Amino acid sequence: MTTCFSIKSLVFITILATASADSILVGSGVKLWSKGSSSTFSTTEDICAAQVRAEYKSEGVSCNDGVPSKFGCQGQEIGLYITTRFKETIAPNTSLSSDITIVSPSQGWYTMAGKTSESDELIFQVNYCFQGNVDHLWYCEALFKNSESDNGNGHGHIDIYIENTYSTTTTTTVTSITS
């Protein structure tokens, strides 16, 4: 008994990544609102990043009509989020960063090792491709629509950088084998 095999095609996909240590400013003075809404920023090209850095510039947010804070609520808890337009979280990403702990899931507060709500910058591990999309900067109480009624109307100004960027190239090779 003879068995014949026919392989019509094989597909090999190779993904090549080109890395760069560049820091690219994608949002200058983006407003971090204490309540109500987000602010947007976008890239002008398709670019992937291993990190996002949020750098405090001026003013601040308030969680209880009190003294403004750079990134949270006057203490260890941080409330800055970066999301897609569909409110999918880009940062913080707890699956990529063991130094981030969500301390209040219903309100979105988290802690970050070595950082507080008064730190000058926050660096997030993201592994995300910014593909000319409009992304959003949120204060957690506004994003989660929880406990924002007592917040002041203030906002902070934040610069957003993408860092450790890389681009991907996909090459597909198709081979047909017949007998």
Side-chain angles (χ1 to χ4, degrees), residues 121-166:
E121 69 178 15
L122 303 174
I123 298 174
F124 301 97
Q125 305 305 313
V126 294
N127 195 26
Y128 179 76
C129 293
F130 296 85
Q131 299 174 322
N133 298 330
V134 174
D135 297 298
H136 294 257
L137 181 68
W138 288 94
Y139 185 55
C140 65
E141 290 186 353
L143 175 61
F144 288 83
K145 299 290 183 206
N146 194 328
S147 189
E148 68 176 325
S149 62
D150 64 346
N151 296 357
N153 289 321
H155 59 271
H157 294 148
I158 311 296
D159 284 353
I160 305 294
Y161 295 86
I162 55 176
E163 299 180 323
N164 297 325
T165 59
Y166 59 95

Side-chain angles (χ1 to χ4, degrees), residues 6 68 85 110 119:
S6 175
R85 68 177 185 252
Y110 59 93
S119 294

Side-chain angles (χ1 to χ4, degrees), residues 19-162:
S20 170
D22 292 342
S23 181
I24 301 169
L25 179 65
V26 294
S28 177
V30 180
K31 290 182 180 178
L32 179 62
W33 293 97
S34 291
K35 62 181 175 181
S37 64
S38 66
S39 291
T40 60
F41 64 94
S42 62
T43 58
T44 56
E45 59 187 270
D46 295 355
I47 193 157
C48 301
Q51 295 180 324
V52 172
R53 178 167 48 101
E55 183 178 288
Y56 171 78
K57 298 315 282 179
S58 65
E59 299 183 56
V61 292
S62 172
C63 66
N64 59 11
D65 223 4
V67 177
S69 169
K70 294 177 182 177
F71 296 114
C73 193
Q74 309 152 353
Q76 296 299 315
E77 295 180 353
I78 299 168
L80 179 137
Y81 277 77
I82 298 172
T83 72
T84 68
R85 68 177 185 252
F86 303 111
K87 295 186 180 178
E88 299 164 329
T89 301
I90 299 168
N93 185 331
T94 57
S95 66
L96 294 175
S97 300
S98 61
D99 64 339
I100 296 174
T101 303
I102 304 294
V103 295
S104 177
S106 66
Q107 293 180 319
W109 295 108
Y110 59 93
T111 58
M112 180 182 273
K115 300 292 182 178
T116 71
S117 65
E118 293 305 312
S119 294
D120 290 329
E121 69 178 15
L122 303 174
I123 298 174
F124 301 97
Q125 305 305 313
V126 294
N127 195 26
Y128 179 76
C129 293
F130 296 85
Q131 299 174 322
N133 298 330
V134 174
D135 297 298
H136 294 257
L137 181 68
W138 288 94
Y139 185 55
C140 65
E141 290 186 353
L143 175 61
F144 288 83
K145 299 290 183 206
N146 194 328
S147 189
E148 68 176 325
S149 62
D150 64 346
N151 296 357
N153 289 321
H155 59 271
H157 294 148
I158 311 296
D159 284 353
I160 305 294
Y161 295 86
I162 55 176

Side-chain angles (χ1 to χ4, degrees), residues 9-26:
S9 64
L10 296 172
V11 178
F12 299 95
I13 299 175
T14 306
I15 299 176
L16 304 173
T18 306
S20 170
D22 292 342
S23 181
I24 301 169
L25 179 65
V26 294

